[in-house]
Amino acid sequence: MNNTTNGVIVKNPGVLALIQDQGRIGQHRIGLTVGGPMDPFAFRWANRLCSNADNTTAIEISIGGFVAEFQQPTQIALTGAKVKATLNNQPIPMWQTVPVQAGDTLKLGFATQGCRIYLAFQGGLPIEPQFGSTATVVREKIGGLHGTALTKEQHLPLTTWQAHSTLMLPFADRPDYENEQPLRVVLGYQAESFSRIDRAHFFSCEYKVSERMDRMGYRLTGTECKSSISSMLSEGICHGAIQLPPDGQPIVLLNDRQTIGGYPKMGAMMARDTARLAQKTQGNSVFFSAVTIQEAHAINVMEKHKEAQIKLLKLK
Amino acid sequence: MKIEIAGENALIIYFAEQVSVEASGQIQAMTNALQPLVGQSIIDLIPSYASLLVIYDDDHYDYYAMRSLILAQSQALANDAQTRDGKLVTLPVYYGLEAAPDLEELAQKAGLTTDEVIQIHQAQTYQAYAIGFAPGFAFLGEVDPRIAAPRKATPRKAVPKGAVAIADRQTAVYPSVSPGGWNLIGLCPTPMFEPEKTPAMPLSTGDRVQFKAISKAEFLVLGGELPSGEHPYE
């Protein structure tokens, strides 16, 4: 591409760094999952702080340890999990546009609150989409540069830098990843296959995030909850679906989930709450609360209206 | 037909309680009818054995509006007498023992010869009931009960690309190297998933599949590759 110049070099991808846009839509019929950012809200703000459209390609960094060297000037923004970030060893703020120069080194520590960090670049990463999206799904070997996570010394192209405003998301509008509000679940009809007691336990007991927490799904541990359905035909699985396999421990299915499965489900978590769950790490506690489809719809309308009112502050 | 809530912006339509070619045809017809809305009011569709999951745009539709749309569609389809059969796809298979590490054991347990297993496997057409597990992985059914076989106790770490396999009353072709516990009875040289091509898959749900035995020479001419290494099927 002739609009690319020198780009950026990944010196260390850290624990897991993936190229993502908002995800791959409309490809379930051939078995492709969605991918995309585990916390789409933080992802969107990273792009908006860089004056980008919401679906611009950026990087999702899980936990941290990411280091990169810029070969050209640009503007970046970091959002999501709280992490110590430096540019040439000088601390830089999150949730704010940061100008960088050729030769600058960006270093991230490890997240101290939350789990998923987003790094956006002004103009985004110019990467060829596959099946309409640049989202990397490692299990499918689809998206990103070669269907893989970022590796050491990998070169990433950037678009030519253009001067844009320096923006900041007001403190009051930033998410609090330690917020322990219950995660809202729309009850599915298979919820009726659990006894009233099991359902009462599910919506009143504490569950903990287990060590099996990845982009496919979060396995939680806590009070057992067993369905009376012993075998069922595999069926389509939506984002946030909560499966309860025979061991009675919930699995919340997330961005890289398989598209079909055959375990009974309690329902599906609302996307704004899967985004919060995806910021939790092993050992964190979570609680569920049940909502009806009408309540979920009303919550989404209200929250979207509130989000539309948020204004980025112009610093320069 | 029964419509149920699946999530904040998803509903699931059940067409039957059991797997059947008739239900598969109805699912296919509904999927095709809703497909033009994907990218507009519908975000995505997942047809499976007896159901169709519909993920919709909840900025513009709520559950009740989407339900009405589907019920209206269902009426229109009921009045439409057109055939619901998918296309027939023939997949060549090399059933040679070097390509079929589980064939002898499967035959032995079934009380058949390997030739009989091969003959039974290609004697019928299969329905593509669902696509999932991995990109391009189609679940085909139902296999003749005489050659149905449970999944292996210990799944293989790497099943080769093109492996033709049986698990219970299902059969499939592995589109790429992946872990798997199905019984491997042959290799198919036809690529099942090619990301750079349109369409990326030679078949869709609702299509019918017939397997056809080919020789090793034909397999190689058609671009098939035998797995290499000392123990390719461990």
Side-chain angles (χ1 to χ4, degrees), chain A residues 24-32 34 130-131 139-142 186-190 232-239 241 257-260 267-272 293-294 296-297 300-301 304, chain B residues 4-8 10 12 14 17-19 28 31-32 35 38 43-51 53 55-56 58-59 61-64 130-136 139 177 193 195 200-201:
Chain A
R24 194 163 283 109
I25 307 296
Q27 303 294 341
H28 285 336
R29 280 184 82 179
I30 54 170
L32 295 180
V34 182
Q130 265 187 301
F131 297 98
R139 179 171 58 80
E140 295 177 343
K141 302 181 188 79
I142 298 275
V186 177
L187 287 179
Y189 88 102
Q190 285 160 4
M232 55 181 267
L233 294 172
S234 279
E235 59 185 35
I237 304 174
C238 67
H239 182 89
R257 70 192 177 280
Q258 291 181 7
T259 54
I260 58 175
M269 193 178 290
M270 296 180 66
R272 56 192 62 253
I293 191 80
Q294 294 94 333
H297 194 71
N300 280 331
V301 170
K304 276 175 194 160
Chain B
E4 303 281 1
I5 294 165
E8 63 182 347
I12 188 159
Y14 291 96
E17 304 261 320
Q18 298 296 324
V19 178
Q28 190 55 28
T31 306
N32 288 341
Q35 186 66 36
V38 172
I43 293 171
D44 220 333
L45 297 168
I46 311 180
S48 190
Y49 291 94
S51 63
L53 185 84
I55 305 165
Y56 55 88
D58 63 345
D59 277 343
Y61 280 82
D62 67 3
Y63 170 70
Y64 298 96
I131 292 168
F133 169 65
F139 292 85
V177 178
F193 183 70
M201 278 190 75

Side-chain angles (χ1 to χ4, degrees), chain B residues 106-119:
Chain B
L106 192 150
Q108 203 178 16
K109 284 188 179 160
L112 300 164
T113 65
T114 53
D115 281 347
E116 285 168 333
V117 173
I118 295 167
Q119 188 267 322

Side-chain angles (χ1 to χ4, degrees), chain A residues 16-20 36-39 43 58-62 116-119 215 255:
Chain A
L16 177 67
L18 297 168
I19 290 172
Q20 296 291 352
M38 294 275 273
D39 180 347
F43 178 88
I59 299 176
E60 176 182 274
I61 298 155
S62 291
R116 318 281 163 187
I117 303 150
Y118 295 91
L119 169 60
R215 288 185 45 90
N255 302 56

